[in-house]
Amino acid sequence: SGPLWVFSTFLNQPPSVPASPSPSNGSTNRPIAQTIGWQCSDPNGHALAYDVYFGTDDPPSMAASNVAQNSYAPGTLAFSTTYRWYIVARDPFGLERTGPTWGFTTKANSPPTTPGNPSPGNHGLSDATPVLTWTSGDADGQPLTFDVYFGTSSPLPLVASGLTQAMYEPGEVVPAQLYSWRVVASDGLTSTNGPVWDFRVLAMGDANSDLTVDLEDAECALGMYIGFGACNGFDNAAADVDCNDIMTPRDARCIHKHVVDGSCSFCDGATTEPAGVSTPVVYVSSTTEWNDTVYVRLAVSGVPSLEAFGFVVQSNADYMRATRRGATTDFVELRNGPFPLYAIVGGYSLTGSPANSAVDFIDLRFYSAYWYDRMLYIFGFVDDLLGAAPLYVYAGGGGLPVLITRFEATPVEGGVDVRWDLESDEAMESFTLYRREDGAALPIEAATGAATTRAYLDTSVEGGKTYRYELMIRTAGGDEFRSQVATVSTPATELVLGQNHPNPFNPRTVIPYDLPASAKPERVRLWILDIAGRVVATLVDEEQGGGSYRVPWQGRDDRGQAVSSGVYFYVLDVGGERRTRKLVLLK
């Protein structure tokens, strides 16, 4: 027999009393999405279970039993209400400890924030299919609904109720009409009224959004297609006047004709090419080289009347410019984007030129010290060239009868100094210098003379205006060669802060201003301010002399962050004089 051994079982002890409530006892202004918690332990290390008593009664009733963790989420609570609660802790052997009764009070309901950030911006502009948007939030995290009041009468009629998204589409609207609207945000308990906003609907053809349809809109529309200039990047449906969902030079032509004589109607269902017309053919009529410059002449056939055209150019050399020729010599506009290796070329004429049989219509110019295969790719034809097959061009060989190596216009005291240089392997007869004032429909002859002339001082210009000059050289054989267009702005005689263009804009606008001539440069500062008067961005802070300036703004603050839609002010400060204007960012 072995010895007698003895052992004892442990003495079970009850859990500790629940303590350390969260939220703390007697706390106030608690959120309605509240999780309660507590601390409790077992001296024997056993896992504990908890019964939770919670509610507004005194004492509270049981809300949950055998909870394994020391926290409990009672769900969304009521605002401005006192809740009481206590915990019963239990070990696996049934020993219990009951904690004290604690309490807390929830916060009062916060109303929704005032609706703001309207789009279209207050006092702003909209296209023909506006979508109203705004922002509003709730500090308590409650879902919001919105009532929208919209119209032209007072008081504004209720047009939508219980919207769950901050957006409303009003449907058909009237161009140039002033519309007002406001939004009421509700969290189900309280409501917040927003201010009354208003906007105007752009008229069809108002490409630059200045509430008038004029020749500037034709220029702006063409700039949209080309992709550079004052309207670069501004997507304005009002410029698509043939309503075919694509912006081309034909839209610019229609706006121009509409302004001049009303002969083009907007959205009249006209097609981009007449029915029954043969497919246009675009081909290379010649290529020539001069040092590191290559000229490619294009011809066209199969077009009864060439009125508007556009196409894309890609090359393995830097694209320089396009020059009118043949069928395009009477074009009112010819624009080309100055983008190396890639460009968009387009223009229009008010009358049109016959091109049923082969006729030259444009010269393209490229530069490269190393031409490799000298390959060009021309494609994306639109308007009267729609349907033409893409071109692969291998340029090179030969010389050019007349080469305009320099053409520039510079504002000087007393006028504009225009100078040029020529190289030629053919006898030249005369020159004609054309000038067109910004906004004018047609150019005028500024000067004519012998081909030996190399300069002309134009003294008939006015201060504070922009002019475009073009030189035409005529050879003894009757050929005509045109220069690129030289643009010059004459100094203004007084301080002028112009309206930004486009306005509204997204994402880029240009702010023009003119500084008077002075004995010494003045310090110039140009700021962007929000409606509260805070500085958003400093665009210019330097000394500048007299002249015309154009300053772009990309809609970003001084930190490079994109600013929100809305009304802003730009302020020009020069030598103690200050000018202020308003602009609108519309996203």
Side-chain angles (χ1 to χ4, degrees):
S1 297
L4 178 64
W5 295 311
V6 178
F7 67 91
S8 299
T9 58
F10 70 90
L11 175 62
N12 186 35
Q13 296 175 305
S16 63
V17 177
S20 302
S22 176
S24 59
N25 187 34
S27 59
T28 59
N29 199 37
R30 303 301 305 175
I32 59 173
Q34 181 69 64
T35 298
I36 59 175
W38 58 91
Q39 297 295 325
C40 189
S41 61
D42 186 81
N44 302 114
H46 297 135
L48 300 178
Y50 305 99
D51 294 339
V52 180
Y53 292 78
F54 182 91
T56 57
D57 296 332
D58 190 10
S61 57
M62 179 182 287
S65 62
N66 291 322
V67 175
Q69 66 277 5
N70 56 346
S71 64
Y72 172 70
T76 302
L77 306 179
F79 289 103
S80 302
T81 302
T82 298
Y83 289 89
R84 297 175 177 82
W85 61 293
Y86 67 89
I87 302 298
V88 176
R90 181 184 310 106
D91 71 9
F93 301 98
L95 292 183
E96 296 180 345
R97 281 284 178 86
T98 300
T101 299
W102 300 309
F104 65 87
T105 302
T106 55
K107 62 179 291 185
N109 181 40
S110 299
T113 59
T114 302
N117 297 319
S119 179
N122 192 26
H123 310 313
L125 299 168
S126 169
D127 59 27
T129 56
V131 177
L132 310 184
T133 63
W134 59 91
T135 59
S136 181
D138 187 81
D140 306 311
Q142 300 178 93
L144 300 180
T145 58
F146 305 99
D147 295 342
V148 178
Y149 296 79
F150 175 85
T152 59
S153 60
S154 182
L156 293 173
L158 176 66
V159 296
S161 181
L163 299 178
T164 57
Q165 292 185 325
M167 181 183 71
Y168 173 70
E169 298 183 47
E172 183 176 355
V173 292
V174 179
Q177 176 68 54
L178 181 68
Y179 287 91
S180 299
W181 59 298
R182 68 182 180 93
V183 175
V184 178
S186 173
D187 62 5
L189 298 174
T190 57
S191 298
T192 301
N193 293 318
V196 175
W197 301 309
D198 63 63
F199 66 90
R200 287 189 184 275
V201 179
L202 289 176
M204 184 61 68
D206 187 9
N208 62 3
S209 309
D210 64 356
L211 297 182
T212 60
V213 179
D214 51 26
L215 293 181
E216 289 186 358
D217 294 296
E219 183 176 358
C220 182
L222 186 58
M224 290 182 190
Y225 170 75
I226 299 301
F228 79 104
C231 296
N232 182 26
F234 187 63
D235 183 12
N236 185 349
D240 178 24
V241 295
D242 57 9
C243 300
N244 64 351
D245 296 326
I246 181 174
M247 271 295 310
T248 68
R250 183 173 292 279
D251 292 293
R253 177 181 185 272
C254 186
I255 295 173
H256 196 141
K257 290 178 68 66
H258 181 85
V259 172
V260 172
D261 56 18
S263 59
C264 188
S265 300
F266 298 157
C267 294
D268 61 358
T271 60
T272 56
E273 57 176 344
V277 175
S278 60
T279 301
V281 177
V282 177
Y283 57 93
V284 177
S285 63
S286 67
T287 62
T288 54
E289 290 187 6
W290 195 290
N291 297 327
D292 295 326
T293 304
V294 173
Y295 297 79
V296 178
R297 181 164 297 166
L298 300 182
V300 61
S301 62
V303 182
S305 179
L306 183 63
E307 299 172 347
F309 74 93
F311 58 83
V312 179
V313 181
Q314 284 184 326
S315 70
N316 58 2
D318 288 350
Y319 167 83
M320 298 180 68
R321 65 179 173 88
T323 304
R324 296 176 293 189
R325 181 170 179 82
T328 62
T329 53
D330 65 344
F331 269 40
V332 175
E333 287 282 0
L334 176 62
R335 291 278 193 89
N336 53 97
F339 311 120
L341 308 182
Y342 177 90
I344 300 176
V345 179
Y348 67 87
S349 167
L350 297 184
T351 57
S353 299
N356 245 334
S357 56
V359 59
D360 292 337
F361 82 105
I362 201 167
D363 282 342
L364 301 177
R365 180 177 176 181
F366 303 86
Y367 170 83
S368 177
Y370 305 98
W371 262 84
Y372 303 106
D373 292 332
R374 302 175 181 176
M375 187 180 71
L376 316 175
Y377 179 41
I378 304 174
F379 63 101
F381 296 103
V382 297
D383 295 339
D384 293 321
L385 303 184
L386 184 66
L391 291 176
Y392 293 91
V393 182
Y394 295 88
L400 191 67
V402 175
L403 175 66
I404 302 174
T405 58
R406 178 173 71 106
F407 181 66
E408 58 190 22
T410 307
V412 297
E413 184 176 354
V416 174
D417 184 30
V418 185
R419 295 180 179 272
W420 58 91
D421 291 321
L422 306 174
E423 294 183 15
S424 176
D425 56 11
E426 185 174 309
M428 295 180 292
E429 181 179 88
S430 63
F431 82 91
T432 302
L433 180 65
Y434 294 96
R435 186 190 75 203
R436 184 165 70 88
E437 183 180 330
D438 200 15
L442 297 171
I444 64 171
E445 287 189 6
T448 60
T452 55
T453 305
R454 294 294 182 267
Y456 175 74
L457 178 61
D458 188 359
T459 59
S460 62
V461 296
E462 300 178 17
K465 291 188 175 181
T466 298
Y467 298 92
R468 292 177 172 86
Y469 290 87
E470 185 178 14
L471 179 70
M472 183 187 72
I473 300 296
R474 184 174 292 106
T475 68
D479 290 329
E480 296 178 350
F481 296 85
R482 290 179 179 263
S483 72
Q484 65 186 42
V485 175
T487 302
V488 61
S489 295
T490 55
T493 57
E494 60 180 0
L495 178 64
V496 176
L497 177 61
Q499 184 63 54
N500 68 298
H501 189 79
N503 187 40
F505 72 97
N506 179 25
R508 182 183 186 271
T509 190
V510 176
I511 299 173
Y513 61 90
D514 297 329
L515 304 182
S518 59
K520 62 179 182 178
E522 296 275 4
R523 184 183 181 188
V524 177
R525 290 179 291 180
L526 180 63
W527 306 295
I528 302 294
L529 306 178
D530 62 18
I531 58 175
R534 296 182 293 260
V535 176
V536 174
T538 300
L539 304 184
V540 177
D541 189 2
E542 62 184 8
E543 288 189 347
Q544 294 180 342
S548 297
Y549 295 84
R550 303 293 184 266
V551 178
W553 184 44
Q554 308 289 348
R556 297 182 177 273
D557 60 22
D558 283 334
R559 298 173 299 173
Q561 301 296 318
V563 301
S564 59
S565 297
V567 177
Y568 295 85
F569 298 90
Y570 54 100
V571 179
L572 178 69
D573 191 313
V574 182
E577 290 189 64
R578 179 166 293 184
R579 302 287 189 271
T580 302
R581 280 182 176 266
K582 180 173 67 176
L583 54 76
V584 178
L585 174 58
L586 183 62
K587 294 184 178 180

